[in-house]
Amino acid sequence: MATATFNIRSPSIILFGKGTVSYQRTAAPFQIPQFPLNRPRFTALFASLHDGNNNDDGSDKITKAVGLEELFEDSPYDVVSKDSPFHPRPLSSTKFSNSVSAGSRLRVAYQGVRGAYSEAAAEKAYPNCEAVPCDQFDAAFEAVEKWIVDRAVLPIENSLGGSIHRNYDLLLRHSLHIVGEVKLAVRHCLLANHGVRVEDLQRVLSHPQALAQCENTLTKLGLSREAIDDTALAAKYVAFNKLKDTGAVASSSAAKIYGLNILAEDVQDDCDNVTRFLMLAREPIIPGVEKPFKTSIVFSLEEGPGVLFKALAVFALRQINLTKIESRPLRNQPLRASDDSNNGSKYFDYLFYVDFEASMAEERAQNALRHLKEFATFLRVLGSYPVDTTML
């Protein structure tokens, strides 16, 4: 088995692009296994689902068996494609366990530095976890795949700024599964060093989405805007450089961590500013029916009149509500020639990401995907997971 060496130097680490780890004291290096891509596939886990609650008559309640192995052959979350081979998937729990050992804390990767909204989302999703900052979204995905951390919590969409397209692309590129979602109310603050007043500021730093969410407020203040990778990183930069003419848009927790003064709270243009985060793991969870579930899929279609209508109709026919649809270019084949030889034109080829309100334990959801599989050129279930009904 091939191995890679990683140096762990501090409990509070930042993971960078290729999984290296930094900071102060150096401990003895340890070996992280690099598992081969041709690892065995795991068999379907969903022959039957058991509910732990007892009925009034004392008998155990057993939900209806779900034949997902028939739908996705040898894996419940398989990649089904007419044109391409199967993508590699995580190892089965029969070979490796990603559960936390007794007494240890779940390690959860997020993008950004301390004080980022993603850190708050990770702590909401997994209370008492050890939140591990990563400099880029890619590094968070890789940290889970390489067993450096147990989970990742990453943003996928915001109620004001829209979708985070990068993470949609990474969901397809990597083999992780969505095992949950968490929604976080975002409350932006205008931060500056102590002694600096609003009228002293000439510019403000923050993440592009945060700047867009505060556009009206910042325009009224006459401040120029400069984008930076992360809201908390903007606060850290202003504090460490002791800037007097520059502020940052970030969270109140970032102000406490980096010793900044809060000049104004709730500077976002809309009070209903919510970011939805995905909880990612190496293996899928077993979907249930005892509470609301959501399922996320990605698929592609042949070009033709009404093809997308047919794809969406498989859900409407079964009274399944769609909560999200997003299209992204198919990167390996962005342009495809028309089948009409007399036309000679080319068109854009797309992947469609869809979220729908149903569990893969439900027969109607299984039937909908069987139906979609009949004419989709590619289909992959990204995860079936509980809906987050809470809000901070």
Side-chain angles (χ1 to χ4, degrees):
M1 178 182 294
T3 60
T5 301
F6 289 77
N7 291 327
I8 297 297
R9 303 180 181 172
S10 168
S12 102
I13 60 175
I14 292 186
L15 302 179
F16 293 94
K18 297 188 178 179
T20 56
V21 205
S22 71
Y23 236 31
Q24 301 175 2
R25 256 183 357 230
T26 303
F30 66 98
Q31 303 293 316
I32 298 211
Q34 304 294 300
F35 304 112
L37 292 182
N38 59 346
R39 52 191 182 260
R41 304 180 188 276
F42 55 86
T43 57
L45 301 175
F46 308 142
S48 62
L49 304 177
H50 295 264
D51 191 316
N53 298 326
N54 291 336
N55 294 334
D56 294 336
D57 59 0
S59 62
D60 289 336
K61 178 183 175 184
I62 301 178
T63 60
K64 184 176 180 180
V66 290
L68 291 183
E69 67 280 4
E70 297 176 4
L71 175 59
F72 293 122
E73 300 177 346
D74 65 339
S75 168
Y77 295 164
D78 208 348
V79 179
V80 181
S81 173
K82 296 177 181 175
D83 304 317
S84 63
F86 290 105
H87 291 188
R89 289 162 294 170
L91 290 169
S92 166
S93 58
T94 60
K95 289 193 171 291
F96 291 95
S97 172
N98 64 358
S99 60
V100 185
S101 59
S104 63
R105 296 162 63 195
L106 197 72
R107 307 190 74 227
V108 181
Y110 68 93
Q111 187 274 328
V113 298
R114 286 195 63 214
Y117 292 107
S118 292
E119 182 184 35
E123 292 171 347
K124 181 184 178 184
Y126 298 102
N128 302 316
C129 71
E130 179 187 351
V132 180
C134 303
D135 72 326
Q136 298 294 336
F137 294 132
D138 311 56
F141 275 85
E142 291 175 8
V144 181
E145 288 184 326
K146 294 179 179 180
W147 298 73
I148 300 172
V149 298
D150 305 291
R151 302 283 190 276
V153 173
L154 299 172
I156 196 66
E157 61 178 326
N158 176 265
S159 58
L160 301 183
S163 300
I164 291 87
H165 294 135
R166 177 63 178 162
N167 284 337
Y168 275 107
D169 296 338
L170 290 172
L171 281 171
L172 190 63
R173 183 180 303 175
H174 294 269
S175 301
L176 301 184
H177 301 272
I178 305 172
V179 296
E181 66 174 4
V182 60
K183 297 173 184 174
L184 187 76
V186 176
R187 299 183 63 186
H188 291 308
C189 299
L190 179 60
L191 312 180
N193 283 297
H194 288 276
V196 177
R197 300 169 301 173
V198 174
E199 49 267 32
D200 298 328
L201 298 179
Q202 297 181 12
R203 61 173 184 158
V204 65
L205 308 178
S206 196
H207 187 275
Q209 288 249 2
L211 294 174
Q213 293 161 15
C214 304
E215 183 175 3
N216 293 339
T217 302
L218 298 178
T219 299
K220 289 177 183 177
L221 294 174
L223 298 175
S224 63
R225 281 144 271 185
E226 293 186 23
I228 200 165
D229 286 345
D230 179 63
T231 56
L233 186 61
K236 183 177 180 180
Y237 181 85
V238 170
F240 280 25
N241 290 281
K242 297 180 172 58
L243 301 178
K244 300 298 183 183
D245 63 344
T246 304
V249 171
S251 66
S252 57
S253 64
K256 294 177 183 176
I257 292 169
Y258 302 112
L260 295 177
N261 185 35
I262 299 178
L263 298 179
E265 293 182 320
D266 294 325
V267 294
Q268 64 271 9
D269 298 333
D270 194 320
C271 59
D272 293 327
N273 185 6
V274 178
T275 298
R276 175 173 167 251
F277 294 79
L278 298 180
M279 300 152 63
L280 304 174
R282 287 180 289 273
E283 296 184 33
I285 62 171
I286 299 178
V289 293
E290 71 284 352
K291 55 185 175 181
F293 263 68
K294 182 184 290 185
T295 300
S296 297
I297 63 172
V298 57
F299 61 90
S300 60
L301 301 166
E302 292 286 0
E303 176 68 10
V307 177
L308 181 57
F309 172 80
K310 284 173 59 180
L312 301 182
V314 306
F315 302 102
L317 290 171
R318 295 167 178 87
Q319 300 297 306
I320 297 176
N321 183 45
L322 304 185
T323 60
K324 173 80 173 177
I325 181 168
E326 181 81 23
S327 62
R328 296 289 297 150
L330 189 58
R331 289 183 173 239
N332 292 338
Q333 193 175 337
L335 287 173
R336 188 189 298 183
S338 172
D339 292 336
D340 186 354
S341 58
N342 297 324
N343 189 338
S345 62
K346 293 186 176 182
Y347 59 87
F348 289 103
D349 216 359
Y350 285 94
L351 290 165
F352 297 95
Y353 292 83
V354 168
D355 295 343
F356 59 86
E357 291 180 329
S359 168
M360 282 306 298
E362 297 180 59
E363 189 174 2
R364 60 175 183 152
Q366 299 170 40
N367 289 337
L369 294 196
R370 285 194 186 97
H371 193 173
L372 178 59
K373 183 182 173 184
E374 292 176 5
F375 48 88
T377 58
F378 171 86
L379 172 62
R380 178 177 170 187
V381 178
L382 299 171
S384 190
Y385 48 91
V387 173
D388 179 21
T389 56
T390 66
M391 186 66 62
L392 273 183

